[in-house]
Amino acid sequence: MKKISTLLLLFLTISITNGQTIYSKAFGNSKNKPVIFLHGGPGSSSVYFEATTAQKLADTGFYVIIYDRRGEGRSKDGDAKMNFQEYFEDLNSLYKKYGLKKATLIGFSFGGLITAQFAEKYPEKVKSIVLVSALVSQQESYNTILRTTKAIYEKKGDNANLEDLKMIDKMDKNSLDYRTACFKHATLNGYFKLKNPDQKAKDIYAGYDTDPLISKYVKNEQAVPTFWKNETLRNIDVSACLKKVRNKNIPIYAVYGRQDGIFCAQQMTDLGKIIGSDHVKYIDNSSHTLFIDQQDMFLSSVQNWIK
């Protein structure tokens, strides 16, 4: 009878979890220090971190929670607004679901913008922050893309793309078209992919085709337009948020790849002035998906910073 009751309890727990609008999963011992991973986007998912790194981070002594924001990844919701207020609500729901009072937030890429604003709004809930390839000033990243791709096109004598950059420079900086055009040139020049990954990274990427988590993942291509429709803060700089968070004695750490084309050395220097230069790691042979490109460095950095 006791065995049946235990199985029934497990079944009910799984059913309730699967019935939630927001997909989430925890790794490790719940008694360990909680860490929440915020994925990129809009329209992305925690699937890549879940498939490659979440359990490994938990194995170093953390209670790791991953989730997909409402309307993104596995959190299907046709009514999702996908704006910052909804992002904060989703994150707060995780605290309630897992019984958390404080947690370390790992903000990856676009997730960094959410992390900084959430920490400013709810400092009592944030133990520390780790920014990973995280956007801080969106415009500075756009500027970096446009400046560096211009140099590439000038070297190649690519007049067509140089003319395109001139057109982009005249666009409304808060428009979706501007954002799309900037990232088009970043993608065209391989800014999000590492050209010469080491063997460990190659092995991880090789598993993409066979891992069911990744192979079944379908990106919501309407997420970015939905965000633009429902959010007024479309091209922001969260430097001021980070300063306020730091002033509340919440430690902030950051790790970026030197081959990540949407950031530059000056951006790392500027970030170091806010959070402390000794809190910033600028790692070689790594592009945007740093937790894969330099997984061991990522894991050791997080462990040393927040253990």
Side-chain angles (χ1 to χ4, degrees), residues 5-16:
S5 298
T6 302
L7 290 173
L8 179 60
L9 179 61
L10 177 61
F11 173 77
L12 289 173
T13 302
I14 292 173
S15 298
I16 292 170

Side-chain angles (χ1 to χ4, degrees), residues 220-231:
N220 181 358
E221 298 295 347
Q222 293 305 308
V224 174
T226 302
F227 174 85
W228 243 258
K229 176 183 176 182
N230 296 315
E231 179 57 68

Side-chain angles (χ1 to χ4, degrees), residues 184-195:
K184 179 193 76 172
H185 283 280
T187 302
L188 184 64
N189 289 279
Y191 278 16
F192 299 104
K193 292 184 178 180
L194 188 61
K195 292 181 179 179

Side-chain angles (χ1 to χ4, degrees), residues 15 58 77 167 193 237 246 279:
S15 298
D77 188 342
M167 294 294 293
K193 292 184 178 180
D237 185 339
R246 181 76 187 276
H279 282 205

Side-chain angles (χ1 to χ4, degrees), residues 141-194:
S141 284
Y142 297 146
N143 291 344
T144 296
I145 292 168
L146 296 177
R147 183 183 67 254
T148 54
T149 54
K150 180 182 179 181
I152 292 171
Y153 299 145
E154 286 178 338
K155 186 175 181 179
K156 291 181 177 179
D158 188 341
N159 293 323
N161 273 316
L162 286 171
E163 286 300 315
D164 195 40
L165 293 184
K166 289 180 181 179
M167 294 294 293
I168 294 171
D169 191 51
K170 297 176 183 178
M171 289 181 178
D172 176 2
K173 303 285 191 296
N174 289 310
S175 69
L176 177 55
D177 286 343
Y178 178 77
R179 186 255 193 196
T180 301
C182 289
F183 281 128
K184 179 193 76 172
H185 283 280
T187 302
L188 184 64
N189 289 279
Y191 278 16
F192 299 104
K193 292 184 178 180
L194 188 61

Side-chain angles (χ1 to χ4, degrees), residues 81-88 110 117 174 225-234 236:
K81 295 180 179 178
M82 300 183 196
N83 57 15
F84 285 119
Q85 181 56 45
E86 192 171 81
Y87 296 156
F88 302 152
F110 180 82
Q117 293 178 84
N174 289 310
T226 302
F227 174 85
W228 243 258
K229 176 183 176 182
N230 296 315
E231 179 57 68
T232 59
L233 303 175
R234 300 163 183 163
I236 64 174

